[in-house]
Amino acid sequence: MDCFRTRLIISVLLLLFFQWAKGAVVSGKVTDETNEGLPFVSVYLQGTTFGVTTNKDGNYSIELPAGSHDLVFQLISYKKHGELVHVESNDQKIILNVKMEPQPYEIAEVTVNGNAEDPAYEVMRKAIRMRKYYLNQVEFYNCDVYIKGLQRVTSYPKKFMGFDVNAEGEIDKKTGIFYLSESVSKFYFKQPDKIHEVMVSSKVSGNSKAFSYNQTSDLLLNFYNNIVDVRVVSKRGFVSPIAEGAMFYYNYHLAGTFYENGKAINKIQVLPKRKNDPAFRGYIYITENTWRIHSTDLYLIKDAGIEVIDTLRINQVHLPVAVSPLSSGRGDGGEVWMLFSNKLTFSFSIFSFKGNGMYLGIHSRYNVRQSGNEPPKGVIAETALAKAEEKKETSAPPPASKRKKRRRSKMGDTNIPFYQDIIAAERDSQRAERKMFSSGEIMKVNKEANKKDSSYWASVRPVPLTEEEKLDYKQKDSIQVIHESKTFLDSVDKKTNKFKPIDLLFGYSHESRYKKRTTSFSPLLENVQYNTVQGWVAATELEIDKKFESEKHLYKTIGASYGFSDKRINARGKILYEINHRDFTNMGIEGGRQTVQFNEKKPISPLVNSVYSLFDENNYMKLFQKDYLRLSYNSELANGVYLRTFLEYSDRAALMNTTNYVMFSSMKNHGEYTSNDPLLPLNDSLPSFKRNQALELRINLRLRFRQKYVTRPDEKWVYGSKYPSLHLEYRKSLPGILGSDMNYDLVKLSITDKIKLGLLGKANYLVSAGKFLNSRKMELMDYYHFSGNKTIFSNFDFTDFQLLDYYTYSTNGSFLEAHYEHDFGGFILNKFPLLRKLKVNELAGLHYLHTEKLPNYFEVFVGIEKLNLLRVDFVSSFTDKAHLMTGIRLGLKVGGR
């Protein structure tokens, strides 16, 4: 029987086997030589990825149909163990306990002299040469993925920043488990980086209505990539032990060699050359002759530059899989190995919280299609694959007539309906692939995923639950009804809604969990202000958030303020209705009277302005009065196409200073504030503009090409795109309608992106260009303003200028601005021992502005950042003719200036 027909029949038989493999239950415990249970042992059928894994206690359970089966038990550092299992009937229950023996290693003899090289280096050189081949060996695959995630806290304070940490009882008081979830997904991959995942089942301990946060792509760490991107724990990636430049980062040691099915496996210890290199530690197992990754036992620690967690360990096991009979690959005997088990364990310690967690993924039922890439010549000369290649190269090509006949023979008799159906199914599958990967959806959670019962989970779970996991499910699921009851939720509200003195400073929220309503009051830091127009200001804002069963939201906001110097009351109200979480559709109406800044971007916060006014006699905030009514509508029209629009009518009136009160008079200002006129600081006698009315239409369109996203039953998560985003903005003032005096048109185009730079960290950039097509009638508040800063404080939005005046260079003509910020993620400072201990990131960047008034303006900055929160920058500004000034900026990235 020819090769194609053989592979086709094997694939079909495997498919049928997996489809109907509901039979006898084989279960037991796997132990070591001391009878201690061995956790996370891979248990699978020889020659397949159909298998399970032992739990933390060493227990396993697998279903096998009637017949004889070779069951394999495999664990790093232990000899692979095989058992022949005879199943007589599908209702049979077989107990099979296995004791595994430590793996004996052959240690290579190394001559001890100054020129001796550890044998590991030659192994790794060959693995490095094969890296790219194995990275691209598979063009497409899909598989089933089971994931179990568990997180726990081992130590935590009763209260943190005034909040009861475990008010709702989500943390088990005995085990510390606060998250336990299982999921089953179908995962699809296509070169070079296209992925799609469908979560078909989900289970979350204590919440039957929730959907798991497990995601296969979050756990896939591919060591065939030069840089391994470990999300969340670092802004930059880590060098793979088999990367192109790995020899610069790693020391290698051959810890030993063992044999598996007659094949030699090299156990290579990897250690960073320098303590703080972005590199892994531990062991990587490389097969002799083929030089592929067999398995890994690698870990990262704080010294490597990880954040949030203390240690991350990655244990992977790879197994050979069957290849699609219609594969476009070589078909000459080259094996394909794929990931079978993938376990990530971690520990963390932050503030007063300590804990650990584990995510385990079991990949099975692969459908693999090889690519046509060729392995590098001379690296795998000992293998059957290379020998076949060598024979092909040295043999004379057959005549054309024979080649044609051979091709027909290889395909077999495709007129047989059996083959026709299989081929047609494969082609339909490939058409479905193209459609699947073109949408941008990287994951979908089925609506019925959380409806599976216990019998379903018992049948699909490849890792038996431990006793504490069983107990966690039992306890939390049994009290779920209680936790959802009005009595319980009201009791939690009673605890958490207690007013504390700190709430006066940072704001107070009153929650009604049963009614799904939250009422929030603004903090004292915002409620008490000072400015030269209103004097001391007493303000308050109330926001009510109501969530409905349909997941729709209704937000109501009421705000009021009173100026003790100008004797004016301001009040406003806003209603925002979120219609659809999936496409971010909302509509709103708001209106009232406000005292607002000329620059709607609010370049200076009321708190910072109060400090500078009272203690430095610098009233940077310039204000006017606005009575207004605004209608808004926002929605994602298609994936990546987001519309934001509003229509606003406003009546604007100029305001003047009404007080000159100061706590500490500034010598440079000679005891005088500047006027409230942004452009004429000495104009204390005349209003800065005449009262006017404006009706403005504003349309913003964001285009994010091939946006990646996750679809969940109740919402959509956006993951951005590898392409830049375009922003189009149009502003139009409509003259003559409702007494509108203003008449102008502005168009603006922006391009922005976030770039991952591997070991060099990441970068953001934005370039904006705009022009007023019509500026017949405008006031200063209608101009295009730039986010300047004259204070030492900053919130470090990367699109802000740090030394630019607030209004001097505002324009009603054309403009071009550009911003670039590079976060090196410790790449530079880690090279200096003393600075390394500070655990800070270094940043650098550039701001550029071109207007008619300011042809070429530059700001260059460098800075350091701690915990992605605290930051200090050193900034210098220039024109193309001269250096202007230098300054220091400091603050929190989440605050206002």
Side-chain angles (χ1 to χ4, degrees):
M1 187 177 290
D2 61 59
C3 176
F4 172 81
R5 188 174 300 181
T6 302
R7 290 164 60 191
L8 183 59
I9 292 176
I10 290 174
S11 297
V12 172
L13 290 176
L14 285 173
L15 177 65
L16 295 176
F17 174 82
F18 290 139
Q19 188 70 26
W20 294 305
K22 301 293 182 182
V25 176
V26 180
S27 61
K29 186 169 186 176
V30 182
T31 59
D32 62 11
E33 68 277 12
T34 64
N35 292 322
E36 289 291 325
L38 286 174
F40 308 113
V41 177
S42 298
V43 183
Y44 60 92
L45 289 181
Q46 178 69 42
T48 75
T49 56
F50 178 74
V52 298
T53 300
T54 62
N55 64 13
K56 190 177 70 172
D57 302 321
N59 297 315
Y60 76 96
S61 177
I62 185 172
E63 289 189 0
L64 298 177
S68 297
H69 308 282
D70 290 319
L71 204 58
V72 179
F73 297 80
Q74 181 176 334
L75 180 65
I76 294 175
S77 297
Y78 285 84
K79 291 176 65 175
K80 182 186 284 189
H81 183 92
E83 291 281 351
L84 182 61
V85 181
H86 300 282
V87 178
E88 297 177 356
S89 64
N90 288 345
D91 58 356
Q92 189 177 358
K93 292 187 178 180
I94 302 173
I95 303 298
L96 178 61
N97 296 319
V98 170
K99 180 176 290 189
M100 297 187 71
E101 300 177 10
Q103 178 67 63
Y105 290 95
E106 294 182 3
I107 307 299
E109 293 185 7
V110 181
T111 303
V112 181
N113 61 59
N115 299 319
E117 181 183 68
D118 194 295
Y121 283 85
E122 184 60 25
V123 172
M124 296 305 287
R125 286 190 189 98
K126 292 178 178 179
I128 290 170
R129 287 190 63 189
M130 290 297 295
R131 179 197 67 82
K132 192 172 182 180
Y133 169 69
Y134 289 128
L135 177 65
N136 300 301
Q137 185 184 20
V138 173
E139 178 190 19
F140 165 86
Y141 74 85
N142 63 54
C143 65
D144 293 345
V145 183
Y146 164 87
I147 297 177
K148 176 164 67 176
L150 185 149
Q151 298 183 43
R152 74 175 84 227
V153 288
T154 56
S155 175
Y156 62 94
K158 186 176 181 181
K159 290 184 178 294
F160 182 72
M161 296 183 66
F163 297 98
D164 190 335
V165 172
N166 199 25
E168 298 186 45
E170 294 179 346
I171 303 174
D172 188 283
K173 294 182 179 179
K174 292 183 179 179
T175 65
I177 296 175
F178 66 90
Y179 177 78
L180 172 61
S181 175
E182 297 173 279
S183 64
V184 175
S185 297
K186 193 73 175 180
F187 184 75
Y188 303 82
F189 171 85
K190 186 176 183 179
Q191 292 285 5
D193 57 2
K194 295 178 180 179
I195 61 172
H196 184 72
E197 181 176 355
V198 180
M199 184 181 290
V200 296
S201 53
S202 162
K203 184 176 178 63
V204 180
S205 180
N207 192 343
S208 62
K209 297 179 181 179
F211 296 91
S212 175
Y213 294 115
N214 298 343
Q215 191 168 333
T216 301
S217 56
D218 286 344
L219 308 180
L220 286 182
L221 304 180
N222 190 346
F223 290 96
Y224 288 118
N225 285 318
N226 281 321
I227 302 298
V228 181
D229 183 15
V230 186
R231 297 180 183 180
V232 180
V233 304
S234 177
K235 294 179 180 179
R236 56 194 182 112
F238 301 89
V239 180
S240 167
I242 60 170
E244 296 294 336
M247 294 286 177
F248 178 77
Y249 290 92
Y250 286 99
N251 289 320
Y252 302 108
H253 170 63
L254 180 60
T257 302
F258 64 93
Y259 291 85
E260 194 175 86
N261 297 331
K263 298 177 182 178
I265 312 295
N266 298 294
K267 180 181 181 181
I268 309 295
Q269 183 181 26
V270 300
L271 289 170
K273 282 185 178 290
R274 293 157 292 273
K275 180 181 177 182
N276 296 95
D277 276 350
F280 296 88
R281 292 164 167 80
Y283 297 91
I284 186 168
Y285 295 78
I286 303 294
T287 58
E288 188 77 15
N289 296 330
T290 56
W291 316 113
R292 61 164 51 91
I293 297 176
H294 171 275
S295 49
T296 69
D297 182 13
L298 300 169
Y299 64 95
L300 295 167
I301 60 176
K302 284 284 190 181
D303 288 339
I306 60 175
E307 301 173 348
V308 183
I309 64 176
D310 299 322
T311 305
L312 174 67
R313 183 176 290 273
I314 305 105
N315 295 102
Q316 296 182 344
V317 174
H318 298 249
L319 295 176
V321 300
V323 180
S324 167
L326 297 181
S327 172
S328 61
R330 296 161 54 83
D332 56 7
E335 281 190 311
V336 173
W337 286 48
M338 300 296 292
L339 184 64
F340 170 65
S341 68
N342 183 33
K343 180 164 68 81
L344 276 65
T345 54
F346 59 90
S347 61
F348 62 87
S349 176
I350 182 168
F351 299 116
S352 302
F353 296 85
K354 293 182 179 180
N356 55 65
M358 176 275 298
Y359 281 85
L360 174 65
I362 303 298
H363 300 237
S364 61
R365 303 185 182 185
Y366 275 95
N367 173 31
V368 174
R369 187 170 68 245
Q370 277 184 278
S371 62
N373 68 318
E374 302 283 340
K377 296 182 184 298
V379 183
I380 52 174
E382 298 88 345
T383 66
L385 175 63
K387 289 177 181 178
E389 184 67 26
E390 184 179 337
K391 182 178 180 181
K392 185 175 72 173
E393 289 177 354
T394 56
S395 301
S401 60
K402 292 186 177 181
R403 291 200 300 268
K404 186 174 181 181
K405 183 178 180 180
R406 183 178 296 176
R407 285 197 296 268
R408 286 199 302 266
S409 175
K410 184 175 181 179
M411 289 300 296
D413 187 356
T414 56
N415 291 322
I416 299 175
F418 174 76
Y419 291 118
Q420 289 180 333
D421 291 344
I422 294 296
I423 293 171
E426 182 73 14
R427 288 170 180 166
D428 289 342
S429 175
Q430 292 185 23
R431 282 193 291 269
E433 283 174 32
R434 290 191 290 270
K435 183 177 179 181
M436 175 197 310
F437 293 123
S438 63
S439 69
E441 184 182 64
I442 60 175
M443 184 177 183
K444 179 182 179 181
V445 180
N446 287 343
K447 289 183 179 180
E448 303 300 317
N450 60 359
K451 302 295 191 295
K452 309 297 183 181
D453 58 20
S454 58
S455 61
Y456 165 85
W457 285 105
S459 67
V460 303
R461 183 182 286 128
V463 186
L465 296 175
T466 64
E467 290 304 317
E468 69 173 5
E469 290 167 352
K470 291 178 183 177
L471 185 62
D472 193 77
Y473 272 133
K474 183 178 180 180
Q475 289 182 341
K476 290 181 179 177
D477 290 350
S478 64
I479 62 176
Q480 179 181 346
V481 176
I482 298 175
H483 280 191
E484 292 175 348
S485 68
K486 185 177 187 300
T487 303
F488 176 81
L489 293 176
D490 287 348
S491 68
V492 174
D493 291 340
K494 189 175 181 181
K495 291 180 183 178
T496 60
N497 289 335
K498 289 181 179 179
F499 183 82
K500 301 172 287 295
I502 196 172
D503 294 333
L504 187 65
L505 189 63
F506 294 105
Y508 172 72
S509 291
H510 183 280
E511 193 164 6
S512 177
R513 289 171 172 81
Y514 185 76
K515 295 181 179 179
K516 297 183 178 180
R517 184 180 64 205
T518 302
T519 305
S520 302
F521 297 87
S522 54
L524 184 65
L525 290 173
E526 296 178 4
N527 291 346
V528 178
Q529 309 165 14
Y530 176 81
N531 62 70
T532 56
V533 172
Q534 299 171 285
W536 286 100
V537 178
T540 187
E541 186 170 278
L542 170 69
E543 183 177 290
I544 301 173
D545 173 12
K546 170 64 177 177
K547 183 178 180 180
F548 300 98
E549 291 294 334
S550 60
E551 299 300 325
K552 297 178 180 179
H553 278 249
L554 180 64
Y555 300 91
K556 301 176 184 177
T557 304
I558 301 172
S561 66
Y562 177 74
F564 286 90
S565 181
D566 68 352
K567 312 296 184 184
R568 291 175 182 267
I569 296 177
N570 291 331
R572 73 179 186 96
K574 178 179 180 179
I575 297 176
L576 182 69
Y577 183 47
E578 277 195 1
I579 302 170
N580 191 335
H581 270 295
R582 298 277 291 275
D583 61 13
F584 312 106
T585 300
N586 64 72
M587 57 176 58
I589 180 172
E590 64 175 294
R593 167 172 289 185
Q594 282 189 289
T595 299
V596 298
Q597 298 186 51
F598 280 81
N599 184 349
E600 63 180 16
K601 297 175 184 177
K602 300 178 182 178
I604 184 169
S605 73
L607 175 61
V608 173
N609 181 73
S610 299
V611 171
Y612 268 81
S613 296
L614 293 170
F615 296 97
D616 196 44
E617 206 170 3
N618 277 306
N619 53 325
Y620 291 125
M621 184 184 288
K622 306 303 178 182
L623 305 165
F624 70 95
Q625 179 181 291
K626 181 170 81 169
D627 299 337
Y628 74 105
L629 177 67
R630 174 183 289 190
L631 304 175
S632 64
Y633 177 81
N634 307 310
S635 183
E636 187 177 42
L637 306 179
N639 181 46
V641 181
Y642 188 68
L643 172 71
R644 292 190 300 123
T645 182
F646 69 77
L647 179 67
E648 179 183 281
Y649 175 81
S650 59
D651 185 318
R652 291 97 63 97
L655 299 173
M656 301 182 69
N657 290 342
T658 61
T659 178
N660 60 0
Y661 174 77
V662 63
M663 288 187 174
F664 296 96
S665 180
S666 171
M667 295 295 295
K668 63 181 179 181
N669 290 336
H670 307 291
E672 294 290 336
Y673 283 111
T674 59
S675 73
N676 190 48
D677 189 327
L679 301 179
L680 298 174
L682 301 180
N683 177 25
D684 285 320
S685 58
L686 297 174
S688 58
F689 65 91
K690 293 182 179 180
R691 182 176 176 178
N692 63 81
Q693 293 77 41
L695 179 64
E696 182 184 80
L697 172 66
R698 191 173 301 187
I699 301 172
N700 286 275
L701 195 64
R702 186 199 69 194
L703 306 174
R704 183 178 286 155
F705 303 103
R706 295 191 179 182
Q707 173 179 273
K708 296 180 180 180
Y709 64 96
V710 171
T711 302
R712 294 173 68 87
D714 54 349
E715 58 189 337
K716 177 179 180 178
W717 295 353
V718 174
Y719 277 66
S721 170
K722 65 179 181 180
Y723 300 101
S725 296
L726 291 179
H727 295 256
L728 304 172
E729 181 177 332
Y730 176 64
R731 302 182 191 179
K732 171 64 178 176
S733 182
L734 306 169
I737 303 177
L738 299 177
S740 174
D741 305 309
M742 301 297 106
N743 185 358
Y744 58 84
D745 295 81
L746 168 69
V747 292
K748 186 179 79 164
L749 172 65
S750 302
I751 181 170
T752 183
D753 198 10
K754 297 179 179 179
I755 309 171
K756 291 183 178 179
L757 298 170
L759 297 181
L760 293 176
K762 62 181 182 178
N764 296 341
Y765 74 83
L766 179 139
V767 179
S768 294
K771 181 178 177 62
F772 280 89
L773 305 178
N774 157 38
S775 57
R776 293 187 183 92
K777 180 64 175 175
M778 300 179 67
E779 293 294 348
L780 181 62
M781 69 283 292
D782 303 317
Y783 281 41
Y784 189 84
H785 304 284
F786 308 98
S787 293
N789 188 12
K790 301 293 287 183
T791 76
I792 196 173
F793 301 108
S794 176
N795 68 350
F796 296 110
D797 187 312
F798 89 100
T799 63
D800 291 351
F801 294 92
Q802 299 298 338
L803 300 176
L804 189 70
D805 192 78
Y806 294 109
Y807 296 102
T808 302
Y809 304 108
S810 298
T811 181
N812 64 348
S814 60
F815 60 90
L816 172 67
E817 64 174 316
H819 307 270
Y820 176 82
E821 180 177 284
H822 191 135
D823 186 339
F824 291 90
F827 177 79
I828 299 172
L829 296 184
N830 274 352
K831 307 295 188 295
F832 303 93
L834 294 178
L835 296 176
R836 185 189 305 140
K837 294 180 179 180
L838 297 176
K839 300 291 184 183
V840 295
N841 295 331
E842 62 277 64
L843 305 102
L846 172 74
H847 303 293
Y848 171 79
L849 177 63
H850 172 88
T851 69
E852 293 150 345
K853 295 180 182 178
L854 193 63
N856 289 296
Y857 172 82
F858 302 88
E859 288 182 3
V860 179
F861 67 89
V862 294
I864 56 174
E865 177 187 87
K866 178 75 172 179
L867 295 176
N868 202 31
L869 184 64
L870 301 170
R871 179 167 161 179
V872 179
D873 277 10
F874 180 82
V875 193
S876 284
S877 61
F878 307 84
T879 65
D880 52 1
K881 297 181 179 179
H883 171 256
L884 298 179
M885 64 183 300
T886 297
I888 293 176
R889 297 292 180 261
L890 54 90
L892 302 176
K893 291 186 70 174
V894 295
R897 273 195 303 273

